[in-house]
Coordinates of all heavy atoms in Angstrom, one line a residue:
G117 N -99.3 27.0 -38.0 CA -98.0 27.7 -37.7 C -96.9 27.3 -38.6 O -95.7 27.3 -38.2
I118 N -97.2 26.9 -39.8 CA -96.1 26.4 -40.7 C -95.1 27.5 -41.2 O -94.1 27.1 -41.7 CB -96.7 25.6 -41.9 CG1 -97.4 26.6 -42.9 CG2 -97.6 24.6 -41.5 CD1 -97.8 25.9 -44.2
A119 N -95.4 28.7 -41.0 CA -94.4 29.8 -41.4 C -93.1 29.6 -40.6 O -92.1 30.1 -41.0 CB -95.0 31.1 -41.1
R120 N -93.2 28.9 -39.4 CA -92.0 28.7 -38.6 C -91.2 27.5 -39.0 O -90.1 27.3 -38.5 CB -92.4 28.5 -37.1 CG -93.2 29.7 -36.5 CD -93.4 29.5 -35.0 NE -94.0 28.2 -34.6 CZ -95.3 28.0 -34.5 NH1 -96.1 29.0 -34.7 NH2 -95.7 26.8 -34.1
A121 N -91.8 26.7 -39.9 CA -91.1 25.5 -40.4 C -89.8 25.8 -41.1 O -89.8 26.8 -41.9 CB -92.1 24.6 -41.2
K122 N -88.9 24.9 -41.0 CA -87.6 25.1 -41.7 C -87.6 24.3 -43.0 O -86.8 24.6 -43.9 CB -86.5 24.6 -40.8 CG -86.3 25.5 -39.6 CD -85.1 25.1 -38.7 CE -85.0 26.0 -37.5 NZ -83.9 25.6 -36.6
T123 N -88.4 23.3 -43.2 CA -88.5 22.5 -44.4 C -90.0 22.3 -44.7 O -90.9 22.4 -43.9 CB -87.8 21.1 -44.3 OG1 -88.6 20.3 -43.3 CG2 -86.4 21.3 -43.8
A124 N -90.3 21.9 -46.0 CA -91.6 21.6 -46.4 C -92.1 20.4 -45.7 O -93.3 20.3 -45.3 CB -91.7 21.4 -47.9
A125 N -91.3 19.4 -45.5 CA -91.7 18.2 -44.7 C -92.1 18.5 -43.3 O -93.1 18.0 -42.8 CB -90.5 17.2 -44.7
E126 N -91.4 19.5 -42.7 CA -91.7 19.9 -41.3 C -93.1 20.6 -41.4 O -93.9 20.4 -40.5 CB -90.7 20.8 -40.8 CG -90.9 21.2 -39.3 CD -89.9 22.2 -38.8 OE1 -88.9 22.5 -39.5 OE2 -90.1 22.7 -37.6
A127 N -93.3 21.4 -42.4 CA -94.6 22.1 -42.5 C -95.7 21.2 -42.6 O -96.8 21.4 -42.0 CB -94.5 23.1 -43.7
L128 N -95.6 20.1 -43.4 CA -96.6 19.1 -43.5 C -96.8 18.4 -42.2 O -98.0 18.0 -41.9 CB -96.3 18.2 -44.7 CG -96.4 18.8 -46.1 CD1 -96.1 17.6 -47.1 CD2 -97.7 19.5 -46.4
T129 N -95.7 18.1 -41.5 CA -95.8 17.4 -40.2 C -96.7 18.3 -39.2 O -97.5 17.7 -38.5 CB -94.4 17.2 -39.6 OG1 -93.7 16.4 -40.5 CG2 -94.5 16.5 -38.2
M130 N -96.5 19.6 -39.3 CA -97.2 20.5 -38.4 C -98.7 20.5 -38.8 O -99.6 20.6 -37.9 CB -96.6 21.9 -38.5 CG -95.2 21.9 -37.9 SD -94.3 23.4 -38.3 CE -95.1 24.6 -37.1
I131 N -99.0 20.5 -40.1 CA -100.4 20.5 -40.5 C -101.1 19.2 -40.1 O -102.2 19.2 -39.6 CB -100.4 20.6 -42.1 CG1 -100.0 22.0 -42.5 CG2 -101.8 20.3 -42.6 CD1 -99.8 22.1 -44.0
A132 N -100.4 18.0 -40.2 CA -101.0 16.8 -39.8 C -101.2 16.7 -38.3 O -102.2 16.2 -37.8 CB -100.1 15.6 -40.3
A133 N -100.2 17.2 -37.6 CA -100.3 17.2 -36.1 C -101.5 18.0 -35.6 O -102.1 17.6 -34.6 CB -99.0 17.7 -35.5
R134 N -101.7 19.1 -36.3 CA -102.8 20.0 -35.9 C -104.2 19.5 -36.4 O -105.2 19.9 -35.9 CB -102.5 21.4 -36.4 CG -103.6 22.5 -36.1 CD -103.6 22.8 -34.6 NE -104.7 23.7 -34.3 CZ -104.5 25.0 -34.2 NH1 -103.3 25.5 -34.3 NH2 -105.5 25.9 -33.9

Side-chain angles (χ1 to χ4, degrees):
I118 69 171
R120 301 191 305 271
K122 295 180 180 179
T123 66
E126 183 183 354
L128 293 185
T129 299
M130 295 167 76
I131 290 171
R134 180 66 183 265

